[in-house]
Every structure is written in C-alpha cells, then in structure tokens.
Amino acid sequence: MLSVDSDRRRRPTLDTVAAAVGVSRATVSNAYNRPDQLSSSLRERILETARSLGYAGPDPVARSLATRSSAAVGFMLPQGLSGAFSDPALSIVLDGLASTVDGHDHSLVLMPGDATGGPRPSIVTRTQADVMVAYSLPDSAPAFEAVAARGLPLVVIDQPVLPNSARVEVQDYLGASLAASLLLGLGHSSFGILTFSLHPDGVSGPVSFERRSAAPFRVSRDRLGGYLDTLEKGGVKPDNVPVWEARGSDRELGRLGARWLLTRTPRPSALLCASDQLAFGCLRAARDLGLTVPRDISVVGFDDVPEAAYSDPPLTTVRQPLADKGRRAGELALKLLAGGRPPRPTRLDVSLVERASTAPRT
Amino acid sequence: MLSVDSDRRRRPTLDTVAAAVGVSRATVSNAYNRPDQLSSSLRERILETARSLGYAGPDPVARSLATRSSAAVGFMLPQGLSGAFSDPALSIVLDGLASTVDGHDHSLVLMPGDATGGPRPSIVTRTQADVMVAYSLPDSAPAFEAVAARGLPLVVIDQPVLPNSARVEVQDYLGASLAASLLLGLGHSSFGILTFSLHPDGVSGPVSFERRSAAPFRVSRDRLGGYLDTLEKGGVKPDNVPVWEARGSDRELGRLGARWLLTRTPRPSALLCASDQLAFGCLRAARDLGLTVPRDISVVGFDDVPEAAYSDPPLTTVRQPLADKGRRAGELALKLLAGGRPPRPTRLDVSLVERASTAPRT
DNA sequence: CAGCATGACTGAAGCGCTTCAGCCATGCCA
DNA sequence: TGGCATGGCTGAAGCGCTTCAGTCATGCTG
C-alpha cells in the first residue's frame, strides 16, 4: 500500500480548495487570516469545503516563509534536558515564558546544550525560530556567535551580558549577601559553600581559587562572590571557607557535596547553597551524619522553589521571582519580535525568606 | 536608528552570495548541502564569500518549504510545563528522545497542554513539525483530531491506543501487580493507594468508583487496576482500599494525599503509589506523623527514578526503562518520517526493585 | 442621475530555497 | 580519432502561502 506516501504527497493546498470553491487563492487565504475581507457566507462555504477536502489550514512552513516569521521562540539550555530539568527553577521559568508566548501563538523550541555550555552552533543555525532566549549560558558559549550570525534578536536570562540583547536577571550577588549576613548575624563563623557549576565541564569537587575566579557562569560566580565577600567583611577569611562545586543542581549532587563539606575540620556550622535543590541535599546529608538542622547546622538555599516551604525543616532561602522571570523574558522576546529595541536590563528583586533551617550558633 | 529593521529585512540570501561569487544559486546551495557536487576550491571560495557577506547559511524555513520537511518533532504534553516537569520521569524520557532526534538534526518543539489534557488544536495546527509525539495524553484529547487532520505521523508514548500510530509503552498493569503481590507476600492486608491524575480536570481528592472506571488516563488506570485487581485476588476487597488522586506527580501533592491515607481508620500498613515522586511524598507524610518506614508503613513507588536509590529509606519501586522509552520513541518518530509504516507497539519491560521501604507486616 | 465611497474579490509578485534534467569540457579507452 | 563516461556547473520549475494594488458591482448622497 503506497497510499500513505501518496496521501502525504498529495495533500490539498490552498489552490485545491480555491479551485473546488471556484474562488481565487487569495480569498481562501483571507478566509483563514482575514475574515473581514470576505462575506461570511462565502467564508463558511470555503471552510466547509476545506473540511470536506481534508485541508487542515494553511501550511505553517509556507506561511512562515511568506510572512518571514516562524512564530517560534528558541530556548537555549546550558545542558542536556534531563540535567536541565532536574532543577525545578528552570521548569518554573520556562512555564512562565511558555504561557506568555503561547498566548501570542508562538511555540517553543528547545535547544539542549552540550559540554560547551550551550547548544551546538549547527543547531542554532538550523532551528526555525525568530527570536532566541538564552538561559544561563556561559559567556563563552559558541551558540551566541551563531545567533549573531543569523541576526536574530536575543533575550538573555541571567547571563551573559551581551551587547544588543534584552536581558532579565536577578540580584544574585545581593541575595547571596543577604543570606551570608543573616548567618553572620546569628553568630556563625565557620562556613561551607555549595555551588552548582562554575564551568560547563561537568566536574564536581572542591573548588580552587583559579577555577572560581575564571568561572564562565555568572550566576554561580555572583552567588559565590556574594557569599564570600560578605563573609570576608564579617571577618571570615575566604581561604578558610571550603567550597564544593556540584556539576548540576539536584539534591543528590547536593548531598554528595554536603557530605564532603560536613566532614571538614573544623566542621562548618553553616552551609550556604547556590540553590534550594542543593540545600535539600544538605538537609539529607546532615541527617545521614546524625546532625540536626538547625541545631547543629544552619542551611540556606537560593530560589525559594515551592517545596522550600515544605522541606524538613522548612528552608531559609533567598527568594527570586521565578515565574516573573520567565514571563518577563517572554514579553521581551515578543517585544523584540515586534521590532522593538532591547530595553535596559530588567533586574528582579530578591528577598530573604527566613524559615526554620537557620538558627543562632550554639 | 532604523538600521536594525532594515538589517533584518535585507539579509543576504543564496542569490546574494551567488551573485557575489559569480556562480549560480544552485551551486551555492550545493556548497552547503552537497559538497561532492562541486570542486572543493570553489566551495571554499563560496563559503568564504558567504562569511564575509554575513550570510549564515540557508534559511531554515525556506529550506523546509523546499524540502517539505521541517526537521522538527512536536512533543505534546498533557499539561503545562511546570506541572509536567515536576515529574523527573518526563525529563528523562524527553532527554532520551531529544538525544535521538538531535543526532539526526531534528529539533524539538514543546506543546504544553491545558485543561483538555493536551495542547489546543490550534497549536497543533500551527506548529511546524513533521511528526508528533504524544506523551501520556488522555484518550479524549482534541489534539489528536488536529494531528490526524494534518495527516502527520504520530508516535504515542504510554497512551492512548490509536489506529495508525506507532506506540511505545510499558507494562504498567504488570508492574503494579508485582508491587501489590510483594506487599501481599509480606503479609500486609490493609492498603492505601496514591495515584496521579485520572482525569485532566486538575482535581485532587479521594476517588469514587465512577471516577476511577471512567478515567481517560490509561497509565493511571492500569497502575490503579493492577494494584486493585491483585489485591482483590489476594483477598482484599477493593472497596476497603482508600484511593487518593493527586492532580500531578510531585512530592508535595503526594505528601498531601498520603496524609489523608494515613489518617484513615483502620490505618493502612502499606501504601502503593503511581510514581516515585508520590512515594517520596509518602515518606515525608509518614515522618510528619511520627511513623517509621518501613517498620510502621511500607511504601512502594513506580518508575525507579535515580533518586529512588537515595531516598530515606531507599525506595522499593517498579522500574521502567525511562531513557529507553524516550530513545525508542525518537527512533520511531525518525522511522515514520522516513516513510515507514507504524510497527507493532513496543512494550518495555518492568521489574520490581526491592529496597528498604518495604518490610513484613509487624 | 452623476459622482463617489464601500465592500467583495482577484492577479500576480514574491518569500528563499532545493532539485533535476541538462549542458559543456575534459580525459580516457579502444 | 571517434565515442563515451565523468566531473562540474547552470536554468528553471516548483514548495504553499501572503499581500497589495487593483477591478468591479453596488448602494448612497446631493
């Protein structure tokens, strides 16, 4: 049976319908796109005929070519899908973005990253999208050149800072400072820090000074910097603060890192984490070691994902407006699409949410 | 400065490059797509000129129109993005799929669902993709009609059973039976069941018989059926088994449901869950209530996500090969794209993984 | 009743690319 | 030396649609 193949080949087009109804192709097009351009009776007749012919509406690709707009936004991720989505923060941001662009009949094309910290240039070149959104890509991602070469508008979430792109980000450094200050205020003086990737190389482990200062991931760099600088101002030497880098932001990796941090000598009495997921891992690691949070160890996270309110104990963390971040990025994308120039960066507020995972040093 | 707009308008095309080099458009096209059709020196010259002209390669949309292939696979989800991705199982499946199609230079278009349990038909109609993948959509999803109307090949993951589509699914019923048998074998006789959505209406709560039997989500139906039928064979009347439906598969919703289940009279000594996420919620709920797993309560999950091995206690669960599921779906999509007929459904094996969240009834 | 705005529809020019049937040298073999 | 395969390139026909400048009745105004 070859009928399937030939069915697919010989699908009806606008012309088929036009001929069947006895009108011009333009009229059929108008029936779909500009109902006000023809009498509603004729429109009805056209739609009816189309249906009976098995015509499902204007072909999206042809329409895109004619309108020079593919009605899609490309979303560039720093890593593969499963890694990326192990952090619920991304899901929330993406959901905010999707609902915004979806309301404007745009679809979302996912572009997974690889070891370069972003999608391969060839992917970027071939993806049908008329605006790109970068989510927390390293400064060095080759994907950006490809975007520029295509002349596509770009909105950047979190990082990097790029000329001629719209940007939305949060006050990571400030948020981290707030968290560190809180802990200092509670009398802590011995700390450990748990961060997610500083480099896109997929390495987990203790962080050297060089590795830290050369980090291409701004978010990690800022949060880490916020923690360390503030501690230093509080009299804690950065050299005495062990830092563990997890190669992703999920709780198992957090648990692993926390286990290392909590077995340093002297043992930290407070752990600062770059994300809630990592913090959840700390809670687990503490329990594994027979330590009680917050009595023995204080833990703070970053993000304030919904679950932070329900962990055991509820997590003290830095709140960032994740859904807003996505929505705002969506609006910016739409705006650039409409020909707008990139406005000044949107900087979203962070705030400290004190729950039960922090306590005065005993 | 209008230059941005006109820049975007006046981008170089194949013709621009052809004219600059002094060859025909076909030759430039060949330079990109069929290197063997021209001398490598000419090809070099063309590529070089293109670069200097700021030509980023053939326009993806135009190319798609000419080749009648959009090189994209559409992924239809039963719900919005954040809801969908709160279950890590989806991320893993999607990752498997993405890496498969990505290797063949296809991209992935996400189509979020709404309260109908799938993407709106208008989205389906307008999305540029030449094969659709449905992930656990209800039988009733209107999205399917739209797919059929466009004549697009379809691969269905998990459900529903649709004529003329490729399908990959797991032995949900069998898996559930295994889990229930294990618990029966351990001497349990008082059970509670925690399932995710039976209907796409976003309702959480105790499940009536009607609601259960009319459930449009096959996976929930099968797992629930596997549990209940097996229990019944083991002498436990289904009427005596409380069932809670969570409107999604995340641990907070699981915790909520488990709290309800664990406060029934008599209190169940074993909880059967439709997913690991829900099971994690049970572990939490048990702890909240001062109960110890598995001494007071046995808990089993479904999926065997990576974290199941590291929960406290490690989770007894039904393993399904998630990454394989995604990969297989990707291969099927590619095969249909190549003109193949839908093969017989792929049915992946499940197996019981016994860890430490189950114990004999005390 | 001339003049004109209005509504309903059409013709044709693209959008940027792929592909395939040639065409033309060139080199090789017998 | 004639015949033929081969490599390298081109011309032109689409792919299916949007859009815009018209054309042509029709009805309304003065």
Side-chain angles (χ1 to χ4, degrees), chain A residues 11 64 128 150 255 310, chain B residues 11 64 128 150 284 310:
Chain A
R11 303 235 79 213
S64 286
Q128 297 180 16
R150 281 187 62 179
R255 184 187 189 184
Y310 301 101
Chain B
R11 307 232 78 215
S64 285
Q128 297 181 15
R150 282 187 61 180
R284 272 305 297 285
Y310 302 101

Side-chain angles (χ1 to χ4, degrees), chain B residues 3-88:
Chain B
S3 76
V4 163
D5 230 347
S6 48
D7 278 2
R8 290 229 278 134
R9 278 227 164 314
R10 295 279 147 240
R11 307 232 78 215
T13 72
L14 266 196
D15 283 310
T16 320
V17 179
V21 180
V23 296
S24 82
R25 182 202 321 181
T27 301
V28 180
S29 173
N30 283 335
Y32 284 95
N33 304 313
R34 309 183 162 193
D36 56 308
Q37 296 293 300
L38 32 52
S39 66
S40 61
S41 65
L42 177 53
R43 180 173 131 94
E44 260 326 309
R45 198 148 56 87
I46 291 178
L47 262 26
E48 178 51 44
T49 309
R51 211 170 297 133
S52 74
L53 252 39
Y55 179 74
D59 178 90
V61 174
R63 154 191 274 261
S64 285
L65 182 60
T67 58
R68 297 179 237 10
S69 129
S70 55
V73 353
F75 197 85
M76 308 192 286
L77 291 163
Q79 48 181 325
L81 260 25
S82 61
F85 285 109
S86 59
D87 188 350

Side-chain angles (χ1 to χ4, degrees), chain B residues 11-356:
Chain B
R11 307 232 78 215
T13 72
L14 266 196
D15 283 310
T16 320
V17 179
V21 180
V23 296
S24 82
R25 182 202 321 181
T27 301
V28 180
S29 173
N30 283 335
Y32 284 95
N33 304 313
R34 309 183 162 193
D36 56 308
Q37 296 293 300
L38 32 52
S39 66
S40 61
S41 65
L42 177 53
R43 180 173 131 94
E44 260 326 309
R45 198 148 56 87
I46 291 178
L47 262 26
E48 178 51 44
T49 309
R51 211 170 297 133
S52 74
L53 252 39
Y55 179 74
D59 178 90
V61 174
R63 154 191 274 261
S64 285
L65 182 60
T67 58
R68 297 179 237 10
S69 129
S70 55
V73 353
F75 197 85
M76 308 192 286
L77 291 163
Q79 48 181 325
L81 260 25
S82 61
F85 285 109
S86 59
D87 188 350
L90 168 58
S91 301
I92 298 175
V93 170
L94 197 52
D95 195 46
L97 178 88
S99 57
T100 302
V101 302
D102 187 83
H104 290 70
D105 277 320
H106 279 248
S107 52
L108 196 69
V109 185
L110 242 41
M111 312 167 69
D114 61 12
T116 67
R120 295 194 311 274
S122 70
I123 297 193
V124 176
T125 304
R126 307 179 85 109
T127 294
Q128 297 181 15
D130 29 40
V131 55
M132 295 288 181
V133 177
Y135 183 84
S136 209
L137 301 197
D139 301 331
S140 54
F144 289 118
E145 278 186 37
V147 174
R150 282 187 61 180
L152 290 179
L154 174 67
V155 6
V156 174
I157 297 180
D158 281 347
Q159 86 159 109
V161 175
L162 243 35
N164 231 284
S165 63
R167 190 146 42 88
V168 24
E169 58 190 18
V170 302
Q171 302 168 315
D172 290 298
Y173 187 93
L174 173 62
S177 296
L178 294 176
S181 298
L182 170 74
L183 257 14
L184 286 168
L186 290 171
H188 292 274
S189 57
S190 173
F191 297 86
I193 297 181
L194 187 49
T195 179
F196 40 59
S197 291
L198 293 163
H199 293 259
D201 55 10
V203 168
S204 287
V207 176
S208 67
F209 178 76
E210 302 76 46
R211 188 169 172 88
R212 171 200 309 169
S213 46
F217 282 117
R218 186 195 59 73
V219 174
S220 323
R221 214 169 49 216
D222 276 12
R223 293 186 188 174
L224 185 53
Y227 289 144
L228 287 173
D229 293 354
T230 308
L231 292 183
E232 187 165 19
K233 277 181 210 142
V236 181
K237 294 254 290 248
D239 288 350
N240 296 335
V241 180
V243 178
W244 177 276
E245 171 183 1
R247 66 162 200 281
S249 185
D250 76 52
R251 69 179 74 196
E252 255 331 295
L253 293 170
R255 184 188 190 185
L256 230 60
R259 190 175 312 165
W260 181 84
L261 289 170
L262 291 176
T263 49
R264 291 311 87 195
T265 317
R267 192 176 67 215
S269 68
L271 259 27
L272 291 155
C273 303
S275 77
D276 287 349
Q277 289 297 300
L278 293 175
F280 295 147
C282 290
L283 299 182
R284 272 305 297 285
R287 194 179 308 132
D288 293 346
L289 295 169
L291 301 168
T292 301
V293 175
R295 199 193 57 198
D296 305 316
I297 308 284
S298 283
V299 174
V300 316
F302 205 116
D303 286 343
D304 195 29
V305 299
E307 206 185 327
Y310 302 101
S311 60
D312 179 24
L315 194 66
T316 293
T317 190
V318 178
R319 168 177 301 160
Q320 59 160 320
L322 293 166
D324 278 350
K325 212 160 146 182
R327 274 195 291 271
R328 187 73 188 116
E331 289 162 9
L332 287 172
L334 259 14
K335 178 172 175 192
L336 293 187
L337 235 37
R341 305 219 22 104
R344 305 191 50 198
T346 302
R347 198 143 231 243
L348 299 170
D349 287 336
V350 296
S351 60
L352 193 61
V353 181
E354 263 190 271
R355 298 206 180 89

